[in-house]
Amino acid sequence: MAAERFRDTIVNDAGEFAAPVSLHGVAYESMIDPAGQPQGDDFVFDDEPSWNQPVAAAPVRPAAKPAGKNRKITHSGPAGRNGKRRRGGWRAYGYVLAICLSLAGIFVLGIMMIPQLAGFFWRDFDNFAFINGELLRYDPAAVTAYKQYRAYMDRDVIYPGIFIDGVHVGDMTIEEAREALGGMQATPQDAFRVTVAIGNKTWTLDPSNLPASRDLGNVLEKAYAIGRSNSTEIQTTLRTPFRERADTAVALRQNGVNLTTSVTYDHEAVRGMVEQIAAYVTREPIDAQIQSFDYNTRTFTFTESQPGVTIDQQLLYDRIIAALDGGEKDATVTVDPIITDPNVTTVQMMDRFTLISAYTTKTTNDANRNTNIRLACEAINGTALLPGETFSFNEATGQRTTAKGYKSAGAIAAGQSIEEVGGGICQVSSTIFNAVARANLQITSRSPHAWPSTYVNIGEDATVNWPNLDFKFTNNTNSPIFLIAYYKDRQMSAEIWGMSLGEGVTIDLESTIVQTNYPPSEPKYVYNPEMEYGLSKTTVKARTGYVVETYKVWYKDGVETSRELMHKSTYKPYQQVIEYNYELTN
């Protein structure tokens, strides 16, 4: 019955203490008496052992006086002169008395210290001992309580009332507690779990993919040390170090202590996982593109644009670390994705992809020339240029030959009008030049004719000749452009389709003659023996030369906003040349 009662409580004269409800049933070793026997029902755990309290030295009883009143003690010894005793006799008696008293004191002290020296205790007298320079009275009840405390404190276990991660480890050895808390496993699989959620995608960080370790060993050592090490705080009581440790250990039974382990993890591994998540989420914006263009109906179809997505990697890393450091068992963290709009959306393409510019010139009634113009238009029509690509007139049409259907028509060569296969196609290149310039595309190669053309303004022509004279331009925009060229009813037209210059924005060309150069007034005669004798012929007409500046003029809703010099054209003067085959006379 006493043993059952002692499993839950420790009893002293003042009543029960030390067993909180949460610790009922926690096993611990029974207290034993100095003889090693159970205390039984008479067992007392003194909550206030007083072995450290100093007591006054026991009073020394005065020695009994010899019988009789006014009894004098006489000393015998040789007498001095005149019948008197020597004074030195009294001094000798004093020495004897002192020695006797000292011996008596030593005897008394010896009697008092027998319990301390021999372990023998007086039954009917108080027992004393010298400890740390103080004379202390031996208290059997205090000694019994001390031994009980010592037996409790000397057990090689963690004291009852100590929890680790919510698990009671009291009355367990360190190894038993380690096993109860998961053995040698460094980090339980449920130690932490952080879920990263971005959009409809999730990633999980736990001990299976994030190297981590638990400081279980350190916490077990700390738990074992509670009650075994003295407080470092300044004490204002007279408790001995042992009593202080004992009070701490016993108080654990009433006021439990819960220690927690912490998990350390590889921060660089966390950063690496954040980079993987960012790589998965990150997507560059995709601009809408032209999927197809119907040149007959002038209609387009477009691809769907997509926004770009990225995340703030540092913010995500900081939030994951905060969740891990906070010891959360199942946390969810997220960051808002950073959305980057594409440069060109599908809606913008539909709204802004339109006819940028168009230019039309009127042809002559020369059938062969008009055939050449039509064939060149057919070779060029439907050309698409991606951003950065360059158009070449000679590459687009190739060499103009009769095999391709080109006819012989009037052309200019060496300042003369001649017949040439493919003659007249300079009107196609000049017409396209005017459309391209008004679309603000980059002209990369352009040359004026020998003299101004009649179908375009002076300074606004572009001559070509296979293979050394070419007309080129580059798509310097961020979207594709499409070139439409066609001949119909003695009219040649060029259209540039793409992203508009802006709402209400247009470009026009304006050319100004800045210099006029006249040819000699007299013709130049050139003898040609190949001609029929007696005939003459003007091979080069007299032509005035010009220097022309051509400006690109910008308009907003019909109002000029700016202008820039685009190029200068030089048309040199030509002296009239007459070839003849006859003798000249003065």
Side-chain angles (χ1 to χ4, degrees):
M1 179 65 181
E4 291 300 322
R5 178 169 61 86
F6 183 65
R7 291 182 60 86
D8 293 334
T9 61
I10 299 175
V11 182
N12 61 13
D13 293 339
E16 298 181 349
F17 75 104
V21 175
S22 60
L23 294 177
H24 279 187
V26 177
Y28 54 87
E29 296 180 6
S30 300
M31 300 301 173
I32 56 176
D33 64 9
Q37 298 299 321
Q39 294 295 305
D41 293 338
D42 295 331
F43 174 79
V44 175
F45 197 153
D46 188 355
D47 188 38
E48 293 294 334
S50 57
W51 61 80
N52 63 331
Q53 301 299 326
V55 298
V60 179
R61 298 177 180 178
K65 295 183 179 180
K69 294 184 179 179
N70 300 323
R71 184 176 181 177
K72 294 183 179 180
I73 299 177
T74 61
H75 299 274
S76 62
R81 292 179 181 180
N82 302 322
K84 294 182 179 179
R85 291 187 177 275
R86 298 177 180 176
R87 293 182 178 179
W90 291 103
R91 193 175 288 123
Y93 282 116
Y95 291 154
V96 171
L97 180 61
I99 292 171
C100 292
L101 292 175
S102 297
L103 292 175
I106 291 172
F107 177 76
V108 172
L109 290 176
I111 296 299
M112 294 174 62
M113 293 187 63
I114 285 177
Q116 182 174 0
L117 297 176
F120 174 80
F121 298 93
W122 303 112
R123 177 178 299 178
D124 298 323
F125 302 97
D126 290 337
N127 296 277
F128 296 90
F130 284 101
I131 299 177
N132 295 330
E134 294 187 59
L135 181 64
L136 302 178
R137 184 175 62 85
Y138 178 81
D139 187 347
V143 171
T144 300
Y146 170 78
K147 290 181 178 180
Q148 294 170 354
Y149 275 103
R150 175 61 70 180
Y152 186 79
M153 297 296 293
D154 285 348
R155 296 179 302 151
D156 189 24
V157 295
I158 299 171
Y159 294 127
I162 297 177
F163 296 78
I164 296 179
D165 291 340
V167 177
H168 184 251
V169 294
D171 281 324
M172 295 183 186
T173 65
I174 289 180
E175 291 304 318
E176 290 172 343
R178 189 190 306 277
E179 183 176 355
L181 292 168
M184 297 301 295
Q185 183 178 358
T187 306
Q189 288 300 308
D190 62 349
F192 63 87
R193 177 185 175 90
V194 177
T195 301
V196 179
I198 300 177
N200 58 359
K201 178 68 176 177
T202 59
W203 295 263
T204 300
L205 284 76
D206 57 31
S208 67
N209 56 18
L210 180 59
S213 60
R214 186 169 59 152
D215 62 342
L216 178 59
N218 293 336
V219 176
L220 286 171
E221 293 295 336
K222 182 178 180 181
Y224 186 81
I226 296 178
R228 289 182 168 86
S229 60
N230 292 101
S231 172
T232 58
E233 297 179 1
I234 298 176
Q235 300 295 322
T236 58
T237 66
L238 297 177
R239 292 187 303 172
T240 64
F242 175 78
R243 181 58 184 271
E244 180 183 339
R245 294 195 300 272
D247 289 349
T248 299
V250 172
L252 291 171
R253 304 174 67 89
Q254 182 68 33
N255 304 309
V257 173
N258 184 47
L259 304 178
T260 58
T261 59
S262 61
V263 176
T264 59
Y265 43 86
D266 188 342
H267 284 65
E268 289 304 315
V270 175
R271 193 171 294 279
M273 297 190 72
V274 169
E275 291 175 354
Q276 293 179 18
I277 295 172
Y280 180 88
V281 172
T282 299
R283 181 183 67 204
E284 295 297 324
I286 300 176
D287 293 340
Q289 302 290 333
I290 298 171
Q291 191 170 38
S292 63
F293 176 64
D294 189 327
Y295 289 92
N296 295 321
T297 61
R298 308 293 199 273
T299 57
F300 295 87
T301 57
F302 307 95
T303 61
E304 288 294 329
S305 60
Q306 294 184 5
V309 180
T310 187
I311 59 173
D312 187 334
Q313 295 188 45
Q314 186 60 44
L315 177 60
L316 178 58
Y317 172 82
D318 292 342
R319 290 183 176 179
I320 293 176
I321 292 298
L324 291 172
D325 289 345
E328 299 185 45
K329 297 292 185 181
D330 194 359
T332 299
V333 300
T334 187
V335 293
D336 294 329
I338 302 171
I339 305 300
T340 304
D341 293 329
N343 294 323
V344 181
T345 66
T346 303
V347 174
Q348 289 174 330
M349 289 288 283
M350 296 175 65
D351 293 341
R352 295 179 55 192
F353 211 91
T354 183
L355 176 65
I356 304 174
S357 64
Y359 199 78
T360 300
T361 59
K362 188 174 183 180
T363 67
T364 67
N365 56 5
D366 185 330
N368 286 351
R369 190 175 186 276
N370 289 338
T371 296
N372 295 337
I373 291 173
R374 177 180 57 80
L375 291 174
C377 287
E378 291 174 356
I380 294 170
N381 187 48
T383 297
L385 290 181
L386 296 177
E389 291 187 338
T390 297
F391 168 85
S392 167
F393 187 92
N394 282 340
E395 290 180 5
T397 60
Q399 186 176 2
R400 280 70 72 179
T401 64
T402 56
K404 294 180 179 179
Y406 287 95
K407 306 293 185 179
S408 180
I412 298 175
Q416 301 182 37
S417 294
I418 62 172
E419 291 291 318
E420 182 180 62
V421 175
I425 62 171
C426 287
Q427 184 167 350
V428 178
S429 60
S430 295
T431 304
I432 294 175
F433 162 79
N434 275 267
V436 166
R438 287 167 171 80
N440 198 36
L441 299 176
Q442 182 181 0
I443 308 298
T444 54
S445 179
R446 172 260 173 188
S447 300
H449 286 82
W451 54 81
S453 302
T454 58
Y455 46 80
V456 293
N457 296 331
I458 188 171
E460 300 172 15
D461 56 337
T463 186
V464 293
N465 185 40
W466 180 269
N468 56 346
L469 200 58
D470 201 0
F471 165 63
K472 297 180 180 180
F473 69 91
T474 299
N475 178 9
N476 56 335
T477 70
N478 295 323
S479 61
I481 59 124
F482 295 88
L483 173 59
I484 297 177
Y486 57 94
Y487 167 80
K488 184 178 181 181
D489 299 332
R490 291 180 57 190
Q491 287 187 332
M492 188 266 147
S493 297
E495 299 175 359
I496 304 296
W497 290 76
M499 296 295 287
S500 69
L501 301 176
E503 187 176 356
V505 177
T506 57
I507 296 175
D508 202 359
L509 302 184
E510 187 176 301
S511 297
T512 303
I513 298 174
V514 296
Q515 184 177 333
T516 302
N517 300 315
Y518 296 99
S521 59
E522 297 295 329
K524 178 180 179 181
Y525 290 91
V526 177
Y527 175 69
N528 184 1
E530 300 296 328
M531 294 179 63
E532 183 179 353
Y533 183 78
L535 297 179
S536 64
K537 179 181 179 181
T538 299
T539 56
V540 177
K541 293 181 179 180
R543 297 183 185 277
T544 303
Y546 303 97
V547 176
V548 181
E549 292 181 345
T550 300
Y551 290 85
K552 185 185 293 185
V553 185
W554 292 77
Y555 294 91
K556 170 67 174 175
D557 297 327
V559 178
E560 179 180 338
T561 57
S562 64
R563 64 172 55 208
E564 59 182 275
L565 178 64
M566 188 166 67
H567 60 241
K568 282 188 177 183
S569 302
T570 300
Y571 304 93
K572 69 178 183 178
Y574 285 91
Q575 182 181 16
Q576 182 182 9
V577 176
I578 299 175
E579 294 184 2
Y580 67 95
N581 186 8
Y582 55 82
E583 294 183 6
L584 295 176
T585 60
N586 291 330

